[in-house]
Amino acid sequence: MNPLQALIFDVDGTLAETERDGHRVAFNQTFAAAGLPWQWSVATYGDLLEITGGKERIRYFIERDQPPLTDAADVESLIRTLHQAKTQRYREIVQQGQISLRPGVARLIQAARQAGVRLAIATTSHLDNAIALLETTLGQESPAWFEVIAAGDIVPRKKPAPDIYTYVLDRLGLPPQHCVAIEDTEQGLQAARGAGLPVVITVNDYTRHQNFTGADLVMSHLGEPDQPHQVLSGPLGPEPYFTLETAIALVAQRP
Ligand code: XBP
């Protein structure tokens, strides 16, 4: 039996750099359209990313920066309304083709499909966002390549809780030691590790300073044959880019 049975991908920041030019822009457009004077700069958004989940992020921002609003009875409905509008705007941004996959993502997904390694998604973001990104970047049929797409509120506790990964493993019917999670954040690492998964990290501008202790491999990105990656910690693979063979070696070396 292949020791590697499945790859489980995070979405935002891992498949594509969606946060700064996608989600952040969609939040700001939504606030402006609602007549709210809130605008999240690139730096402010970096701080807010500590809170996973868009609704949770808006709630945290209101409680931290807009305390008069916290007494309003309808804060929860404001958050819900804003988040629905933001999801729609984010989808439009993605569908306009403004966001592309990170290096090596499409290559690794195709290699997994060819090798019969199963695919799944574990994201904190809304399901519609994940589907829009897959369809726009990998083709209309691509969501069906993923046996499980676990997203948003499907579990009550978001990352760094392990729940979303535990949910995916249950649905796949696989033990964690035969899968690899691919993440970009410390919260994602904690969630995947909490579920017992080996974890590969591809850092980005928002996350490269985070603590990735416990990750099996930390890289600049997955890399391509003509776009080698940098391994920041963990074993060097045979190629200057992340391959299925590297993932198999990571899984095989686990006790
Ligand atoms: C990233 C998130 C999400 C997005 C916004 O999720 O934390 O909240 O920033 O999406 P992941 P929503 O890294 O797990 O993909 O507004 O739909 O929550």
Side-chain angles (χ1 to χ4, degrees):
M1 185 179 87
N2 187 340
L4 178 69
Q5 290 289 309
L7 294 179
I8 309 174
F9 286 89
D10 166 54
V11 173
D12 296 299
T14 299
L15 293 186
E17 305 265 17
T18 51
E19 293 291 9
R20 193 191 65 185
D21 301 329
H23 289 293
R24 185 185 69 91
V25 172
F27 279 117
N28 284 339
Q29 287 177 354
T30 304
F31 298 151
L36 291 162
W38 309 341
Q39 284 295 292
W40 291 348
S41 68
V42 171
T44 299
Y45 193 67
D47 296 338
L48 292 170
L49 277 176
E50 211 172 305
I51 309 301
T52 56
K55 292 192 288 295
E56 293 79 358
R57 197 168 296 142
I58 299 172
R59 185 177 302 114
Y60 172 82
F61 171 77
I62 290 173
E63 284 166 5
R64 191 191 70 176
D65 294 354
Q66 313 292 325
L69 264 184
T70 45
D71 291 335
D74 55 1
V75 159
E76 285 308 313
S77 105
L78 171 68
I79 292 170
R80 253 199 322 278
T81 308
L82 288 173
H83 192 253
Q84 265 167 18
K86 176 261 165 182
T87 299
Q88 177 60 33
R89 284 180 185 275
Y90 174 80
R91 273 213 318 265
E92 286 163 14
I93 291 170
V94 168
Q95 285 164 347
Q96 284 158 14
Q98 293 178 27
I99 293 177
S100 26
L101 294 178
R102 296 190 67 190
V105 169
R107 172 184 58 74
L108 187 64
I109 288 172
Q110 295 304 355
R113 293 184 68 220
Q114 276 161 22
V117 172
R118 298 160 72 188
L119 294 168
I121 296 276
T123 176
T124 292
S125 187
H126 196 288
L127 176 65
D128 292 353
N129 299 344
I131 300 286
L133 185 71
L134 293 174
E135 287 181 348
T136 310
T137 55
L138 288 166
Q140 285 296 316
E141 70 293 354
S142 62
W145 302 344
F146 296 82
E147 267 181 62
V148 185
I149 301 183
D153 297 326
I154 198 153
V155 289
R157 295 188 309 162
K158 293 189 172 164
K159 300 173 188 174
D163 305 27
I164 195 92
Y165 280 104
T166 308
Y167 176 91
V168 169
L169 290 168
D170 282 350
R171 297 295 294 267
L172 289 173
L174 287 173
Q177 62 272 21
H178 288 296
C179 307
V180 167
I182 304 171
E183 271 285 354
D184 71 310
T185 64
E186 188 177 341
Q187 296 99 320
L189 168 65
Q190 286 171 14
R193 263 179 50 93
L197 286 154
V199 189
V200 160
I201 298 285
T202 52
V203 300
N204 57 50
D205 285 346
Y206 273 136
T207 70
R208 67 183 75 254
H209 60 279
Q210 293 181 345
N211 181 1
F212 293 119
T213 306
D216 294 74
L217 185 57
V218 183
M219 298 166 280
S220 52
H221 48 73
L222 294 174
E224 294 283 12
D226 62 351
Q227 198 179 348
H229 66 187
Q230 218 187 327
V231 172
L232 306 173
S233 80
L236 285 173
E239 307 286 354
Y241 51 94
F242 185 77
T243 63
L244 272 191
E245 288 65 38
T246 319
I248 291 166
L250 287 181
V251 167
Q253 83 187 12
R254 288 219 149 197

